Amino acid sequence: MNRDQLFAWLQYPLPHHLISRLAGHLADCPTPWLKNAMITQFIKTFDVDMNDAVHKTPDDYRTFNEFFTRPLVEGARPVGAGVVSPADGLLSQCGAIEDGHLIQAKGHTYSVRSLLGGNKNEAAAYQDGQFATIYLSPRDYHRVHMPVSGRLVSTRYVPGRIFSVNQATAREVPGLFARNERLVCHFETEFGPMAVVLIGAMIVAGIETVWSGQVTPGAKTPQDCRFDQEITLETGEELGRFKLGSSVVMCLPEGVRFHPDVDSGDTVRMGQSLATVDPA
């Protein structure tokens, strides 16, 4: 058993949700000496670049979570053309959806249908489409933005485990992203449907969206919400945020083409142009 296998195996018996709730309480603690110590140590341990942050020092944040979801100064992330990266992070996988399946890691695939929560009609829209998975490491900026302008149609909260989503776990836990708790956000764009999936993970203290705030876990079955009011977000506009790190999976329809110089393993920044869309 190698190191990655051991790390993944040790996660199976852990009380994932209890650990994450405890982490959430700690991250929301406003006690100045404690939150300052946590922020200072975190910046040092993960070499966090604070140059682009609006607020530069631990004293500027009321809690660790405020630091973790820190805003950036205006213009820090220019928004490119076409389909852009929704977040800072590692483009762990990207490419064509083949036979209804996405690549998780070498030797591992999972289905669009399972990722989206089981609806075959929704999954069919991406049968010949493209996908991208972006892993947000602890040192990254943790707000998620729109890859392209679109109207929010519906969301689906899908309960599940909350394994770590780092590269070691992705290589060793089958169906990881379709296994973890997640929020599936369905949009209608000028080139067709788009799904942006916010993946929960070990010690992630919460997922928030700009339209409904904190996503409250605990349901035993998928929970759907449709939106009758007009909620339209422009390319680069904030969609949501993670309280501690995780991953975002984008599902895009046929007609999207990744740039030739964009490939799995690239480090990307929010707003960076990743793909173009074929004219209708």
Side-chain angles (χ1 to χ4, degrees), residues 12-233:
Y12 279 89
L14 292 177
H16 293 179
H17 291 277
L18 175 61
I19 292 171
S20 295
R21 284 197 298 271
L22 293 174
H25 288 308
L26 185 61
D28 273 332
C29 176
T31 304
W33 71 265
L34 179 57
K35 62 91 179 175
N36 283 350
M38 289 193 296
I39 293 170
T40 299
Q41 187 58 50
F42 192 91
I43 291 172
K44 181 179 179 181
T45 300
F46 294 104
D47 191 26
V48 177
D49 182 2
M50 297 296 291
N51 289 322
D52 289 341
V54 173
H55 307 296
K56 312 292 186 184
T57 70
D59 285 327
D60 295 327
Y61 299 96
R62 190 181 65 86
T63 65
F64 180 86
N65 262 336
E66 278 194 3
F67 152 74
F68 201 81
T69 58
R70 59 194 176 277
L72 302 183
V73 295
E74 187 174 352
R77 298 292 185 274
V79 177
V83 180
V84 305
S85 175
D88 286 7
L90 175 71
L91 185 62
S92 57
Q93 296 292 335
C94 69
I97 296 171
E98 298 182 354
D99 194 28
H101 283 72
L102 302 78
I103 298 171
Q104 175 177 300
K106 185 177 181 179
H108 290 293
T109 64
Y110 61 106
S111 72
V112 179
R113 182 174 178 178
S114 62
L115 174 69
L116 300 184
N119 188 306
K120 65 179 181 180
N121 292 326
E122 291 170 348
Y126 308 103
Q127 183 69 28
D128 299 310
Q130 302 282 323
F131 80 98
T133 303
I134 299 171
Y135 167 65
L136 291 73
S137 74
R139 75 184 304 272
D140 289 318
Y141 166 65
H142 277 81
R143 298 193 182 195
V144 181
H145 296 248
M146 286 291 286
V148 71
S149 299
R151 180 181 65 85
L152 180 66
V153 176
S154 65
T155 62
R156 174 173 296 125
Y157 165 76
V158 185
R161 298 297 301 272
I162 38 179
F163 288 95
S164 166
V165 293
N166 64 17
Q167 298 307 290
T169 310
R171 287 191 291 267
E172 300 298 336
V173 176
L176 175 65
F177 300 119
R179 196 170 191 160
N180 272 17
E181 176 182 89
R182 57 203 179 276
L183 182 71
V184 182
C185 305
H186 291 284
F187 294 91
E188 187 61 40
T189 76
E190 63 180 359
F191 59 86
M194 173 182 70
V196 179
V197 186
L198 308 180
I199 309 291
M202 183 79 77
I203 313 182
V204 172
I207 296 172
E208 290 185 3
T209 64
V210 297
W211 55 81
S212 63
Q214 178 85 29
V215 176
T216 304
K220 302 299 183 183
T221 58
Q223 303 294 306
D224 292 308
C225 182
R226 295 196 66 84
F227 296 87
D228 296 325
Q229 73 273 32
E230 185 77 12
I231 300 176
T232 301
L233 300 173

